[in-house]
């Protein structure tokens, strides 16, 4: 699957979150994942509209990756949207069927985003304009990957984020339990020839895999028990 | 009341809607209404943050006026938001208690903005990021003034829009029936010395006023009937 990550951040180089995500990109043999920093390629005349549209066309999954500033992406994403998607919506029919996945980092706790809490509104509500965009273009809107208070993440939590992020970029979404397990197995195989994944990652992947497999087997035997009960 | 109209449109001069709204500004003796075109005052170095904050401080009602592009304002509004409201939210406590009123023009029919219809989501949902901003800064979010398909408006509908717009800028919101009536009366008085309102507007205002007064009297007498019935 071809994934295009459109990064909307005013200063990717100075953002620990973006730096972490960039370092966490999965290693692929066929340029299956493209990192596309809107700020880096912005010139005085804006973006090359045809180039951008061609990139979108090539991708199956389009990621919009940004920190939440005032309940939406930094302005550069909207600049890009307004500049690339001009005129009649029907022009963009050739992009129908894409997937749109948001990778959103937030400075607040996730529990703040609910009625009665600090932010009052859920992230589903706050991100509605992006969902509406996807709906309008006949793109499939994926459940966003939300990164909560990156600065406070522990190392194990960061390692988990690395896995979640790689899966969000490359796995069928929403991923089933079996798909996540298969993905982990494939990672393990790749790791033997790939220096980019660290020893810690390898250990974590192995632990996760073993836990998941144990859970899976437990679930399977419970299911058998239930079925046996049904036929008694 | 001091009202600051923050206009977020890439080309105000080429927008029939914005031109109409600009021509519809109420005439006030004390600069009570300020037209503030973000694009016109944008320079290479952006905006003067202190100047913008001072303008906001002076205003009691702040209007964000824009066409809906891809389910939010044109990028320039977010650029301005991100540039002016930097850093900790607590810095902006001196602006608490402002009113935020959106004047939003849409190219679709209003009935499109509902579950099952073309746009799927209500405007209340789509505009949630602005409501969340107001909530965060302790500003009162007013029910937006939505301008539906301006290009198709008939002359009487435009005249009605003029009145709605002027009331949205200057009247307590949401306005009661009595307040709207009083506003119309005040307009009628002003019109005798004010050349800016045209004869058609005058006639319309008079007609509206008479209809409203008739409605009001009808309502009053119905109310009396009901009360009489209650005491029988």
């Amino acid at each position: 699957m071809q994934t295009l990550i459109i990064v909307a951040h005013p200063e990717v180089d100075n953002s620990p979150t973006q730096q972490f995500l960039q370092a966490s990109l999965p290693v692929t043999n066929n340029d299956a994942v493209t990192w596309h920093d809107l700020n880096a390629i912005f010139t005085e005349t804006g973006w090359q509209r045809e180039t951008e549209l061609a990139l979108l066309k090539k991708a199956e999954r389009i990621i919009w990756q940004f920190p939440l500033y005032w309940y939406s992406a930094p302005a550069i994403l909207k600049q890009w949207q307004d500049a690339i998607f001009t005129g009649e919506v029907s022009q963009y029919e050739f992009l129908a069927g894409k997937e749109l996945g948001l990778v959103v980092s937030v400075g607040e706790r996730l529990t703040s985003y609910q009625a009665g809490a600090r932010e009052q509104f859920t992230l589903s509500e706050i991100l509605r304009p992006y969902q509406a965009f996807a709906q309008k273009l006949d793109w499939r809107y994926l459940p966003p990957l939300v990164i909560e208070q990156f600065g406070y993440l522990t190392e194990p939590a960061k390692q988990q984020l690395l896995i979640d992020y790689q899966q969000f970029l490359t796995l069928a979404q929403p991923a089933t339990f079996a798909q996540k397990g298969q993905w982990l197995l494939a990672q393990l195989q790749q790791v033997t020839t790939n220096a980019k994944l660290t020893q810690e990652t390898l250990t974590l992947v192995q632990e996760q895999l073993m836990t998941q497999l144990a859970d899976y087997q437990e679930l399977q035997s419970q299911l058998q028990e239930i079925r046996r009960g049904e036929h008694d």
Side-chain angles (χ1 to χ4, degrees), chain A residues 51 64 117 151 155 199:
Chain A
T51 311
W64 287 355
E155 276 310 309
Q199 186 58 39

Side-chain angles (χ1 to χ4, degrees), chain A residues 99-191:
Chain A
E99 290 179 329
L100 179 64
L102 307 184
V103 175
V104 185
S105 56
V106 297
E108 299 279 330
R109 296 290 304 277
L110 276 186
T111 49
S112 298
Y113 294 96
Q114 56 179 318
R118 209 176 148 96
E119 301 296 346
Q120 291 294 342
F121 306 111
T122 64
L123 283 169
S124 288
E125 287 173 278
I126 289 167
L127 300 171
R128 205 71 92 201
Y130 302 116
Q131 184 185 0
F133 177 90
Q135 191 259 146
K136 189 74 170 189
L137 264 70
D138 203 9
W139 295 6
R140 191 160 77 89
Y141 183 75
L142 304 178
L145 175 64
V146 180
I147 302 169
E148 176 187 9
Q149 298 191 308
F150 179 80
Y152 299 129
L153 290 188
T154 60
E155 276 310 309
K158 280 187 187 171
Q159 295 291 339
Q160 181 61 54
L161 173 59
L162 181 149
I163 292 174
D164 291 344
Y165 182 57
Q166 291 196 353
Q167 292 189 337
F168 192 75
L169 297 179
T170 58
L171 252 180
Q173 294 293 343
T176 63
F177 176 83
Q179 286 165 330
K180 285 189 183 178
Q182 276 165 357
W183 182 89
L184 284 168
L185 270 174
Q187 287 299 106
L188 269 183
Q189 282 168 343
Q190 207 179 23
V191 108

